[in-house]
């Protein structure tokens, strides 16, 4: 599990290594006017919430860091990716089944439910892939090349051949 998540996060690092700060922070693409950097920072904030709450066993996805530098500066974004990847490496497989309380705001206020740590990690990983797809749309509109053919594709999604 950790290897798959890390491999996916490395796709983000690869993209950031290939674009400028201007491309990274460009908020000109409708309909949401969100940048590549906004999406990347948001992806990493969700993982950071997990690491912030692991020791106490209480993870709050609504209490995100929102590191503004990491959403406008590729070097800061890469450093944030590396921090998350480093934190992933210390998780032991024996920790996967530990129960954590996960809180999030689902639109009508905060809700708390029990997850396994692995369940929270799977959710964060799927969330990252979802945002990579949004980033793929932004990349296309900005005329940037995708970092690889699998960027933004869920492994279970059938690929169409053009």
């Amino acid at each position: 599990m950790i290897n798959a998540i890390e491999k996916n996060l490395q796709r983000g690092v690869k993209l950031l290594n290939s674009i400028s700060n201007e491309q990274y922070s460009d908020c000109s693409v409708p309909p949401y006017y969100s940048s590549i950097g906004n999406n990347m920072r948001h992806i990493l904030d969700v993982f950071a919430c997990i690491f912030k709450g692991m020791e106490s066993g209480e993870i709050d996805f609504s209490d995100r860091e929102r590191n503004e530098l990491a959403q406008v500066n590729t070097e800061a974004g890469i450093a944030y990716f590396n921090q998350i990847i480093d934190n992933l490496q210390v998780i032991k497989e024996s920790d996967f089944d530990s129960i954590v309380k996960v809180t999030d705001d689902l639109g009508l206020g905060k809700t708390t439910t029990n997850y396994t740590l692995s369940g929270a990690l799977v959710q964060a990983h799927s969330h990252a892939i979802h945002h990579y797809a949004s980033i793929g749309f932004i990349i296309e509109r900005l005329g940037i090349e995708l970092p690889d053919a699998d960027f933004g594709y869920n492994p279970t999604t059938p690929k169409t051949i053009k």
Side-chain angles (χ1 to χ4, degrees):
M1 175 189 306
I2 298 300
N3 290 339
I5 295 170
E6 180 179 352
K7 180 179 178 184
N8 194 47
L9 292 176
Q10 289 294 349
R11 287 188 169 104
V13 173
K14 184 176 179 181
L15 174 64
L16 270 60
N17 276 317
S18 69
I19 62 175
S20 68
N21 287 333
E22 291 74 26
Q23 292 168 316
Y24 185 59
S25 60
D26 188 324
C27 291
S28 67
V29 177
Y32 302 112
Y33 301 98
S34 180
S35 68
I36 295 167
N38 292 132
N39 281 275
M40 291 297 197
R41 189 261 317 142
H42 176 69
I43 289 166
L44 298 171
D45 279 354
V46 169
F47 280 101
C49 288
I50 293 172
F51 302 125
K52 182 178 173 182
M54 272 179 51
E55 189 173 321
S56 68
E58 296 183 9
I59 297 168
D60 187 346
F61 285 135
S62 67
D63 184 22
R64 295 190 298 272
E65 185 176 323
R66 294 184 170 87
N67 179 339
E68 289 187 25
L69 184 59
Q71 72 185 28
V72 297
N73 180 279
T74 57
E75 285 184 24
I78 291 167
Y80 199 7
F81 267 103
N82 289 332
Q83 173 191 345
I84 296 302
I85 291 167
D86 288 346
N87 285 335
L88 280 170
Q89 296 305 319
V90 300
I91 298 174
K92 299 177 198 78
E93 193 170 330
S94 60
D95 296 331
F96 287 165
D97 290 332
S98 60
I99 301 297
V100 291
K101 292 187 180 306
V102 174
T103 300
D104 203 355
D105 188 333
L106 305 180
L108 298 175
K110 290 186 176 188
T111 301
T112 301
T113 189
N114 289 333
Y115 279 48
T116 59
L117 178 58
S118 61
L121 289 166
V122 166
Q123 179 176 336
H125 176 66
S126 293
H127 176 257
I129 293 170
H130 161 79
H131 275 275
Y132 279 2
S134 296
I135 291 167
F137 176 79
I138 295 169
I139 286 171
E140 189 274 332
R141 294 294 178 174
L142 295 177
I144 302 168
E145 190 171 320
L146 284 173
D148 65 64
D150 290 328
F151 189 88
Y153 278 97
N154 186 301
T156 63
T157 301
K159 292 184 183 162
T160 57
I161 299 172
K162 291 183 183 182

